Amino acid sequence: MTVTTLVILVVVIMLVMLALRMPVAFALGLSGALGLFALRGDAFATRTLGSAPFAETATFSLTIIPMFILMGMFAVKARVAEQVYKVAAHAFRHFPGGLGVATVMACAGFAAVSGSSIGTAATMSRLSVGEMQRHGYRTSMATATVAVAGTLGVLIPPSVILVLYAIMTRESVAKVLAAGIIPGILSACAYALYIIIASRSDRSKVRAKQLDRALVQASGAPAGDREQAAEPSSETINPPDTRWRDLPMRGVVRVGILFFIVLGGMYSGIFTPTESAAIGALAAGIMLVAEMYKEGWKATSRAIVEALKETAGTTSMVFAIIVGSAILSVFFVAARVPHMLTEAVISAGWSPHVTMGLLLLALIPLGMALESISILVITVPLLYPVATELGFDGIWLAILIVKLIEIGMVTPPVGINCFVVAGASGVRVTEIFKGVLPFVIVELILVVILFFVPQLSLWLPSLVSV
């Protein structure tokens, strides 16, 4: 059996195991182990299986991952998302589609402290979908807004996926996180702009239907079945007489404090990235206690224990996938797959931009079948050497990979964010997928802009000396 045939067979085995719903970590590890046994024999394979799990996880830099996850869990329990949403809803109440814009901005703010796309989508679904429906938003628009805006959690720092990318590629964690700020803000603004335009269109259609019904009634003709659709409104969850001083501004203040601690401490040189994550988690824990103490120490301790349990579960999942991907990566390196891929790409004679564009587009169908961390750990060992060989910046590559992972998180058949929103809101997932399509087009436009204007991703990292 040739090496090429063996590589194809290992990839097929991995995809079959994933299709059979085997846990991702086991699918990656088992397929890689089988490949190593076939390629190098028992001695090399068993030595790798014994050493790779410890070698890949016994790294101090990996402690940043559970710290960021813990900070996000504490922020969830401290009701930061709810408080930020109320303030954003009041701030954007005069905009067309103001409640949708507020949802996007609240997702961006919460993503800045949670670092989790799924956590952002689940939390904001419970807060905003019902409110948007009550104010006349189409169900598909309301749910799709949360599903897509929730993906900001993988782009806006502190993003666990960006941290994992930096660790895998040995890029600076601080620079990779800084690279996500401008694309994250740009993405949030693009979503908000689409919601404003779509809400204006919906409002015009509803007004036209109302006028038609009025004309029919004036002429004395039977009105038939009258539509009960409400006009999309810019009213918010806040009563009309709500004043700024009555809003829970402490949520916005807490987001600002955590953002300042993590990024300000990191980029000022006061803290290392790992230290900033730990201090951010400590600050979020203090905020949780400050928010919950009025409900008694029993409720407070329960919230802390739940946050710790959820952090342990998520961290275990991430580290298991790291171990599985490490075994698969050893097989790819032993089979010289990155080298063969680089040679094949260069010998094809295409321009570097065409080559890189085609390789990145392959992430979209992968995103339709795999979850985000799986895509990252499978593709980065292959794409990163090719990109650097072709002269592209590894930090620029990180942002494009994450943007394409965002698209995969909302596209069928997996579209994990859509399933999370469906579970939290009780809406059929097919309805959510229908509303997501225009947002996917917006995402693709953003990817093209970021691809051809790399300075949007690289300007802030160029100012970072950490």
Side-chain angles (χ1 to χ4, degrees), residues 415-428:
I416 188 167
N417 267 30
C418 295
F419 282 96
V420 168
V421 173
S425 64
V427 176
R428 289 183 303 172

Side-chain angles (χ1 to χ4, degrees), residues 152 180-192 403 446 449-450 456:
L152 294 171
I181 295 176
I182 291 178
I185 294 172
L186 186 63
S187 298
C189 292
Y191 303 154
K403 286 299 295 180
L446 288 171
I449 292 172
L450 292 170
L456 290 172

Side-chain angles (χ1 to χ4, degrees), residues 121-447:
T123 303
M124 294 305 302
S125 295
R126 291 188 287 269
L127 294 175
S128 62
V129 170
E131 290 295 334
M132 284 193 281
Q133 288 174 318
R134 279 192 289 276
H135 285 87
Y137 287 75
R138 288 176 286 116
T139 299
S140 59
M141 167 68 90
T143 51
T145 297
V146 178
V148 174
T151 62
L152 294 171
V154 300
L155 185 60
I156 295 178
S159 163
V160 172
I161 286 187
L162 284 177
V163 170
L164 189 55
Y165 174 93
I167 293 171
M168 291 176 65
T169 59
R170 305 294 190 269
E171 294 280 357
S172 164
V173 172
K175 290 187 176 183
V176 171
L177 287 176
I181 295 176
I182 291 178
I185 294 172
L186 186 63
S187 298
C189 292
Y191 303 154
L193 180 61
Y194 165 71
I195 291 168
I196 291 172
I197 294 171
S199 295
R200 284 184 180 277
S201 176
D202 283 351
R203 181 178 297 178
S204 299
K205 290 176 183 177
V206 172
R207 283 177 175 167
K209 290 176 182 178
Q210 291 172 340
L211 180 60
D212 288 342
R213 289 199 301 270
L215 291 172
V216 169
Q217 292 170 5
S219 66
D225 294 328
R226 297 180 181 177
E227 296 195 35
Q228 299 298 319
E231 179 182 355
S233 169
S234 60
E235 294 179 14
T236 70
I237 57 175
N238 303 299
D241 59 347
T242 299
R243 293 167 295 183
W244 280 104
R245 66 183 182 184
D246 297 326
L247 293 171
M249 296 300 294
R250 62 186 181 278
V252 178
V253 173
R254 287 169 179 171
V255 168
I257 290 173
L258 292 176
F259 200 74
F260 177 78
I261 288 174
V262 173
L263 297 186
M266 188 187 308
Y267 299 137
S268 66
I270 298 174
F271 309 130
T272 66
T274 304
E275 290 169 347
S276 68
I279 294 172
L282 176 62
I286 294 172
M287 292 172 186
L288 170 60
V289 173
E291 181 69 27
M292 297 288 294
Y293 81 96
K294 292 181 181 178
E295 300 181 21
W297 283 107
K298 188 175 181 180
T300 304
S301 60
R302 187 187 308 117
I304 292 173
V305 169
E306 288 174 359
L308 291 172
K309 286 181 177 178
E310 291 173 20
T311 299
T314 304
T315 301
S316 300
M317 179 268 292
V318 172
F319 274 67
I321 291 176
I322 290 173
V323 171
S325 69
I327 296 170
L328 184 63
S329 296
V330 171
F331 165 72
F332 282 150
V333 171
R336 302 182 76 246
V337 173
H339 179 73
M340 290 190 296
L341 182 60
T342 303
E343 283 191 341
V345 164
I346 294 174
S347 63
W350 298 329
S351 71
H353 280 86
V354 171
T355 301
M356 205 67 240
L358 292 174
L359 290 175
L360 287 169
L361 284 176
L363 294 174
I364 295 179
L366 275 178
M368 295 178 180
L370 299 174
E371 53 85 34
S372 54
I373 294 180
S374 304
I375 300 171
L376 190 77
V377 298
I378 291 170
T379 59
V380 166
L382 302 177
L383 290 180
Y384 184 79
V386 175
T388 52
E389 182 70 23
L390 293 174
F392 293 106
D393 194 289
I395 295 175
W396 168 84
L397 178 67
I399 301 306
L400 288 174
I401 288 177
V402 167
K403 286 299 295 180
L404 289 164
I405 285 175
E406 283 185 8
I407 295 175
M409 294 175 78
V410 294
T411 48
V414 174
I416 188 167
N417 267 30
C418 295
F419 282 96
V420 168
V421 173
S425 64
V427 176
R428 289 183 303 172
V429 71
T430 52
E431 185 77 11
I432 302 174
F433 282 136
K434 183 171 68 175
V436 156
L437 180 60
F439 284 102
V440 171
I441 295 172
V442 172
E443 284 277 48
L444 290 172
I445 294 172
L446 288 171
V447 169

